[in-house]
């Protein structure tokens, strides 16, 4: 059979499944499709969760994780891989062993859910630092993750920059430390690579945490990289996309908002009586 060269843009998410569909691979896939790439998924872990809390998690069997990545590699020319919830060190190691040497990898170092459930254990966190962060084209920590991983207490713009530099020193090609709810420079993200830094400003919203915001941002970045945009353009476009998804986020339950990656085409999901 003649092999057909695929010229479409593919991005792949390696992450946890979220039953509420507001984060994890479900959010990643929606985001990738909305950003114009064909999204592929590798389930690294299962979670049981709803709008309020995570109640249970389990990593998948390591053999099955490797088979999923192998199946994708055999058929698809993946322009960018994105990692999210990886659960433990065995999964982190298996991901690192399975990804091609030249893979473009966006590492979203998911540690704890907004509802405070640990999604990567401590040895998994150490393995992430040893194996995946040094290979990352970009790492996308929020302030809490950047502090916990680097050991640098982030209290102001200066310590935020020190944490960003720490990731570059670890071998990551670029990093974006997300400002989110920072009491200093609120809502401003700090991007850095070996050519210097760039601040990303976005609309600041009054909501508290929006479920799936980190997954949506890292998947949008991975999508634009897969489409061929340079890194700085990819993060700028992703920031714009995420601001829209946050602006039109859903309040399915009072005070519990979920990102809307389909904001350009469907702003409400209201049941229509036809
Ligand atoms: N569940 C899964 C499977 C995730 O991958 C993530 C984040 O990456 C979360 C939950 C946490 O989402 P949030 O902190 O936005 O609630």
């Amino acid at each position: 059979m003649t092999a057909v060269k695929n010229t479409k843009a593919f991005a792949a998410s390696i992450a946890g499944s979220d039953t509420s569909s507001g984060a994890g691979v479900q959010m990643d896939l929606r985001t990738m499709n909305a950003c114009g790439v064909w999204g592929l998924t590798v389930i690294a872990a299962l979670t049981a969760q709803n709008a309020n809390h995570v109640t249970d998690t389990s990593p998948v069997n390591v053999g099955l994780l490797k088979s999923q990545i192998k199946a994708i590699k055999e058929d698809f020319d993946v322009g960018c891989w994105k990692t999210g919830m990886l659960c433990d060190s065995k999964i982190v190691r298996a991901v690192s062993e399975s990804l091609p040497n030249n893979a473009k990898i966006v590492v979203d170092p998911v540690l704890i859910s907004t509802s405070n459930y640990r999604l990567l254990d401590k040895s998994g966190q150490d393995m992430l630092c040893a194996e995946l962060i040094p290979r990352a084209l970009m790492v996308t920590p929020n302030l809490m993750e950047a502090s916990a991983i680097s050991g640098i207490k982030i209290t102001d713009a200066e310590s935020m920059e020190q944490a960003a530099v720490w990731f570059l020193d670890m071998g990551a090609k670029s990093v974006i430390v997300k400002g989110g709810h920072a009491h200093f420079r609120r809502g401003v993200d700090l991007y850095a690579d070996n050519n210097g830094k760039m601040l990303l400003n976005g609309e600041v919203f009054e909501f508290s945490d929006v479920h799936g915001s980190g997954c949506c941002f890292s998947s949008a970045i991975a999508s634009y990289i897969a489409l061929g945009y340079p890194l700085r353009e990819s993060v700028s476009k992703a920031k714009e996309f995420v601001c829209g998804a946050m602006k039109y986020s859903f309040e399915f339950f009072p005070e519990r908002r979920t990102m809307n990656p389909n904001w350009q085409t469907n702003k409400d999901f209201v049941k229509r009586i036809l």
Side-chain angles (χ1 to χ4, degrees):
M1 205 164 65
T2 324
V4 176
K5 178 121 183 68
N6 232 322
T7 54
K8 298 252 179 280
F10 298 104
S13 161
I14 306 175
S17 161
D18 170 1
T19 41
S20 77
S21 204
V25 286
Q26 289 85 352
M27 175 54 67
D28 293 347
L29 189 56
R30 287 203 176 91
T31 301
M32 288 169 177
N33 289 353
C35 290
V37 303
W38 182 260
L40 303 158
T41 56
V42 172
I43 312 282
L46 299 172
T47 73
Q49 62 180 297
N50 55 29
N52 285 310
H53 50 209
V54 179
T55 53
D56 205 359
T57 65
S58 172
V60 299
N61 165 291
V62 165
L64 185 57
L65 178 100
K66 289 184 170 178
S67 310
Q68 293 179 73
I69 297 177
K70 183 165 179 277
I72 288 181
K73 283 194 303 189
E74 277 171 6
D75 259 10
F76 298 96
D77 185 9
V78 177
C80 190
W81 299 79
K82 171 245 142 124
T83 65
M85 172 191 177
L86 297 179
C87 226
D88 65 21
S89 58
K90 286 192 196 136
I91 297 285
V92 176
R93 167 152 286 161
V95 169
S96 178
E97 283 172 358
S98 304
L99 288 177
N101 286 336
N102 61 352
K104 292 181 179 169
I105 314 169
V106 172
V107 174
D108 185 12
V110 174
L111 299 183
I112 299 174
S113 72
T114 309
S115 56
N116 222 9
Y117 198 102
R118 187 126 196 147
L119 301 175
L120 180 68
D121 66 18
K122 183 65 179 73
S123 64
Q125 186 180 318
D126 294 342
M127 189 68 77
L128 195 80
C129 289
E131 305 256 333
L132 275 183
I133 290 174
R135 295 182 61 186
L137 183 57
M138 198 180 301
V139 190
T140 64
N142 59 28
L143 286 181
M144 182 279 293
E145 290 157 350
S147 280
I149 293 171
S150 69
I152 296 167
K153 195 161 177 242
I154 302 177
T155 50
D156 52 19
E158 199 185 334
S159 45
M160 190 173 179
E161 272 178 41
Q162 285 165 357
V165 169
W166 184 92
F167 283 92
L168 300 181
D169 288 346
M170 286 293 288
K173 296 275 176 306
S174 66
V175 59
I176 180 155
V177 184
K178 295 171 284 186
H181 301 294
H183 59 272
F184 57 93
R185 250 182 10 201
R186 185 156 175 239
V188 178
D189 301 333
L190 169 67
Y191 168 88
D193 58 26
N194 287 327
N195 294 319
K197 64 173 188 182
M198 170 173 88
L199 293 177
L200 288 106
N201 294 286
E203 205 173 327
V204 174
F205 303 99
E206 285 316 309
F207 331 130
S208 55
D209 296 300
V210 181
H211 185 48
S213 51
C215 302
C216 184
F217 196 17
S218 53
S219 293
I221 294 169
S223 300
Y224 292 122
I225 292 172
L227 284 166
Y229 289 97
L231 293 187
R232 284 173 181 239
E233 218 174 319
S234 294
V235 286
S236 301
K237 286 178 79 63
K239 176 82 178 171
E240 214 181 302
F241 180 84
V242 156
C243 284
M246 198 167 279
K247 180 171 186 166
Y248 295 103
S249 58
F250 302 116
E251 198 171 14
F252 290 137
F253 302 96
E255 307 287 309
R256 305 289 303 164
R257 299 195 79 90
T258 296
M259 295 294 276
N260 175 11
N262 298 110
W263 59 278
Q264 286 143 316
T265 51
N266 193 344
K267 293 192 170 49
D268 52 17
F269 279 88
V270 166
K271 186 153 119 186
R272 292 176 214 288
I273 313 296
L274 299 172

